[in-house]
């Protein structure tokens, strides 16, 4: 469904992506792991069309999205739901209004239907009675959950999560993972998720891809990655400070 | 920057317009600046009343006080000072707000929802500037003229009838149009510069503070330069 081919991106001379090749099948959950600053968020931003690559293509259902403009591009974006690394909630709106925002702006639903749908979503992420609070008034974990609810409002086909659980307590991490799995089973979206939660992601992912030095060094089932022969992958998942990856 | 203005204007004329956001912006730029405008307007008028009175007395022409105060305010000081005050009060806040939305990825989030950030953030601000600036300038002028009246007539003893009478004789529609055009263009200038600087903020909190400073300085300088230019063309 999603195919990334030979993606290159540099910022002011700093080469971040150096030829990323990656495929995501319809309905699967792909987790991207890799070092901090390794370009995972940059890769996701290319999928959202927020950044244009220096070289390479991204095909979604056979259409190269790096070439799309205007209306066609907007239509494509409407199939995406996005959870940004920092949440990116609108801080002038309450949690409820944030979740309701896409419905208010993009649909002609009546206020009552919007209310009902938003409350259901908030309940799903365990925030039923936090709707009246502003993003600045809730904890980091709650913000992430509000962002998750907002990403789900339009029932997207593809959801991109940039570290949906970083900074949450272990119980919350598992609760969010279970929520994602649960919603995935019911709605059946395709998900690309960036996460540092090792080993928890092995229970969530259908496939795991490791990004290192601007390329995907290995992609495979959680088992294949856990027992990988690649020393870079091994070192990363065990968190060993000694090895081919040098901490800087 | 010109492209930015171009696309903002493009979306201005391309419906749908976000009415509620525009009204919120008018409140943000306009209503909240009202007090500052009234106070600065009053004191500008009073200072003018004082200084112009002493100058005119040297020529024995105190009777012209009203028209001199009114002309100075309507043609020049009203639009310019009002624009500078609003830039300091609302322009800086505008840049900071949009800048924070940029660095916290809220603008990206709008983009990712296929909602045009131009339409949501920039267009309402520019339209609000166009509506609010002339109104605030009119208030500034009125309060200023009354301030001049207080000092000139009540304090220094010019005849009240002369003050307003001479004003009616010497202020004509062209002066008012000129002041109106000035304030309109300052409104565009300020919101354009401040939105642009906010929209292209980067590098965290420091970037926001830098963008805010640059926006205020650039707006103020451009307002004065444009004022001279427009003044010399319209005169
Ligand atoms: N807009 C930008 N302008 C310039 N450089 C950028 C930009 N966005 C990202 N970078 C650079 O690209 C590199 C990769 O950043 P990215 O945010 O993708 O890392 P990441 O893998 O998501 O890290 P983390 O796990 O900490 O979120 C960083 O070195 C960063 O400085
Ligand atoms: Mg990141």
């Amino acid at each position: 469904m999603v195919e990334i081919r030979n993606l290159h991106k540099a910022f002011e001379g700093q080469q971040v992506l150096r030829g990323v090749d990656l495929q995501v099948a319809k309905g699967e959950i792909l987790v991207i792991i890799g070092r901090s600053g390794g370009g995972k968020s940059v890769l996701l931003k290319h999928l959202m069309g927020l950044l244009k690559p220096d070289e390479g293509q991204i095909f979604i259902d056979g259409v190269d999205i790096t070439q799309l403009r205007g209306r066609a591009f907007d239509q494509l974006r409407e199939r995406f739901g996005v959870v940004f690394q920092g949440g990116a909630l609108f801080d002038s709106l309450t949690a409820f209004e944030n979740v309701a925002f896409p419905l208010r702006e993009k649909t002609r639903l009546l206020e009552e239907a919007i209310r009902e749908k938003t409350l259901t979503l908030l309940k799903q992420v365990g925030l039923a009675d936090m709707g009246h609070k502003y993003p600045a008034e809730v904890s980091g974990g709650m913000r992430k959950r509000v962002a998750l609810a907002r990403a789900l409002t339009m029932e997207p086909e593809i959801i991109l999560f940039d570290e949906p659980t970083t900074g949450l307590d272990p119980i919350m991490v598992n609760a969010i993972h279970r929520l994602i799995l649960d919603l995935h089973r019911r709605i059946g979206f395709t998900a690309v998720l960036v996460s540092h939660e090792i080993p928890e992601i092995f229970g969530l992912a259908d496939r795991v891809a490791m990004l290192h030095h601007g390329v995907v060094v290995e992609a495979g089932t959680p088992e294949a990655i856990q027992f990988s022969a690649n020393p870079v992958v091994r070192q990363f998942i065990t968190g060993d400070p000694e090895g081919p990856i040098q901490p800087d | 920057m010109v492209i930015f203005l171009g696309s903002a204007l493009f979306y201005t004329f391309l419906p749908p317009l976000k009415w509620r956001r525009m009204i919120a912006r008018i409140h943000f730029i306009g209503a909240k600046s009202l007090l500052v405008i009234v106070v600065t307007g009053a004191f500008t008028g009073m200072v003018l009343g004082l200084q112009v009175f002493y100058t005119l007395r040297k020529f024995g022409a105190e009777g012209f006080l009203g028209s001199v105060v009114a002309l100075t305010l309507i043609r020049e000081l009203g639009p310019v000072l009002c624009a500078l005050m609003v830039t300091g009060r609302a322009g800086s806040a505008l840049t900071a707000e949009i800048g924070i939305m940029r660095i916290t990825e809220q603008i990206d989030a709008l983009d990712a929802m296929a909602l045009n950030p131009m339409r949501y953030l920039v267009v309402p601000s520019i339209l609000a500037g166009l509506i609010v600036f002339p109104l605030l300038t009119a208030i500034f002028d009125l309060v200023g003229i009354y301030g001049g009246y207080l000092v000139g007539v009540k304090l220094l003893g010019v005849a009240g009838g002369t003050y307003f009478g001479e004003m009616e004789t010497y202020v004509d529609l062209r002066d008012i149009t000129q002041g109106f055009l000035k304030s309109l263009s300052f409104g565009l200038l300020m919101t354009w510069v401040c939105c642009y600087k906010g929209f292209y903020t980067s590098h965290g909190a420091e970037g926001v503070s830098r963008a805010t400073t640059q926006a205020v300085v650039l707006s103020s300088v451009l307002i004065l330069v444009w004022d001279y230019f427009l003044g010399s063309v319209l005169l």
Side-chain angles (χ1 to χ4, degrees):
Chain A
M1 173 173 212
V2 181
E3 186 179 356
I4 301 170
R5 267 193 225 157
N6 193 32
L7 204 68
H8 285 74
K9 181 74 182 179
F11 292 106
E12 296 143 13
Q14 177 201 2
Q15 195 71 36
V16 178
L17 303 180
R18 313 162 195 254
V20 172
D21 290 296
L22 191 63
Q23 278 114 42
V24 191
K26 191 170 173 58
E28 84 172 345
I29 301 182
L30 173 81
V31 176
I32 299 175
I33 56 175
R35 295 201 63 199
S36 209
K40 303 182 298 300
S41 300
V42 170
L43 180 59
L44 279 196
K45 285 195 175 149
H46 280 90
L47 284 174
M48 299 166 208
L50 290 175
L51 291 173
K52 294 276 177 215
D54 300 333
E55 199 186 319
Q57 295 95 31
I58 299 171
F59 294 95
I60 294 187
D61 292 337
V63 182
D64 183 0
I65 65 164
T66 60
Q67 303 300 326
L68 286 182
R69 295 266 180 289
R71 188 76 206 111
F73 192 36
D74 281 349
Q75 270 165 356
L76 178 95
R77 279 174 160 178
E78 282 166 10
R79 298 167 57 191
F80 279 89
V82 180
V83 181
F84 284 87
Q85 188 161 356
L89 297 175
F90 301 120
D91 39 33
S92 56
L93 303 178
T94 63
F96 180 92
E97 289 167 336
N98 261 289
V99 178
F101 186 81
L103 291 173
R104 289 200 173 133
E105 297 296 332
K106 310 223 71 152
T107 67
R108 296 186 173 280
L109 287 180
L110 292 175
E111 191 55 34
E112 209 172 305
I114 291 179
R115 222 188 125 66
E116 198 174 310
K117 194 157 181 204
T118 307
L119 283 178
T120 315
L121 281 162
L122 282 174
K123 204 179 289 167
Q124 279 176 346
V125 295
L127 292 174
D129 39 52
M130 291 302 214
H132 60 283
K133 296 226 177 187
Y134 284 91
E137 301 169 344
V138 301
S139 77
M142 292 176 187
R143 269 204 289 279
K144 297 238 162 174
R145 284 184 282 159
V146 177
L148 181 58
R150 187 179 67 181
L152 291 168
T153 13
M154 298 304 284
E155 296 169 7
E157 292 167 54
I158 307 169
I159 304 199
L160 308 174
F161 300 91
D162 199 346
E163 307 193 10
T165 53
T166 305
L168 305 188
D169 67 65
I171 296 177
M172 192 46 79
V173 170
N174 283 313
I176 297 233
H177 282 178
R178 191 171 318 151
L179 176 68
I180 292 173
L181 272 178
D182 196 41
L183 292 166
H184 179 253
R185 208 167 299 131
R186 267 191 290 150
I187 307 173
F189 48 72
T190 306
V192 180
L193 204 141
V194 169
S195 180
H196 290 297
E197 309 292 351
I198 293 171
E200 286 86 348
I201 47 138
F202 293 124
L204 173 73
D206 294 318
R207 275 190 330 128
V208 179
M210 171 148 176
L211 190 65
H212 188 63
H213 276 318
V215 291
V216 174
V217 288
E218 189 167 352
T221 60
E223 293 73 31
I225 295 290
Q226 269 170 295
F227 302 107
S228 168
N230 187 325
V232 171
V233 179
R234 285 181 76 93
Q235 188 199 346
F236 188 77
I237 58 178
T238 52
D240 190 346
E242 303 293 327
I245 310 176
Q246 290 300 311
D248 31 32
Chain B
M1 242 184 121
V2 177
I3 299 170
F4 182 80
L5 180 66
S7 65
L9 292 180
F10 174 74
Y11 286 112
T12 307
F13 294 108
L14 192 76
L17 180 63
K18 298 291 160 190
W19 285 103
R20 255 193 297 162
R21 305 209 143 240
M22 193 176 85
I23 290 165
R25 284 297 171 190
I26 291 178
H27 178 73
F28 180 78
I29 303 179
K32 289 182 168 176
S33 306
L34 206 55
L35 185 67
V36 182
I37 290 307
V38 169
V39 172
T40 48
F43 279 96
T44 308
M46 285 158 68
V47 169
L48 270 179
L50 203 63
Q51 296 294 346
V52 172
F53 177 82
Y54 281 109
T55 314
L56 286 179
R57 199 172 55 178
K58 292 189 182 155
F59 307 104
E62 296 95 324
F64 290 116
L65 181 67
S67 39
V68 174
V69 169
L71 281 176
T72 318
L73 278 172
I74 291 172
R75 297 178 62 108
E76 199 58 50
L77 288 185
V80 171
L81 284 181
C82 183
L84 293 179
M85 293 313 294
V86 179
T87 302
R89 226 235 23 104
S92 52
L94 195 62
T95 306
E97 189 187 315
I98 296 181
I100 287 172
M101 293 188 74
R102 164 61 76 196
I103 63 164
T104 57
E105 299 181 319
Q106 294 177 49
I107 293 182
D108 288 342
L110 279 175
D111 244 330
M113 291 177 198
L115 296 171
N116 190 315
M118 247 357 183
R119 197 195 284 298
Y120 276 81
L121 300 171
V122 179
V123 170
S125 306
I126 291 183
L127 284 178
L130 288 176
I131 293 171
V132 160
F133 270 61
L135 288 175
L136 286 179
T137 302
I139 294 170
F140 188 99
D141 291 348
L142 282 179
V143 175
I145 288 169
Y146 190 70
Y149 169 84
L150 279 185
V151 171
V153 178
K154 297 284 178 202
L155 216 63
L156 302 173
V158 176
T162 332
Y163 186 84
F164 287 113
E166 291 292 313
M167 199 184 295
E168 270 173 47
T169 324
Y170 286 101
V171 178
D172 58 29
L173 197 62
R174 270 198 50 199
D175 301 313
I176 297 179
T177 323
Q178 183 177 349
F180 176 74
L181 281 179
K182 278 186 175 177
S183 64
L184 208 60
S185 55
F186 295 159
L188 180 66
L189 208 59
M190 183 284 252
T191 46
W192 168 33
V193 171
C194 291
C195 287
Y196 175 85
K197 285 288 176 188
F199 210 80
Y200 293 104
T201 301
S202 57
H203 307 301
E206 194 201 332
V208 175
S209 78
R210 188 157 1 106
T212 310
T213 316
Q214 284 175 356
V216 172
V217 172
L218 187 61
S219 304
S220 309
V221 171
L222 282 181
I223 283 170
L224 291 172
V225 171
W226 181 246
D227 179 51
Y228 175 77
F229 179 74
L230 204 62
S232 58
V233 169
L234 290 178
L235 214 60

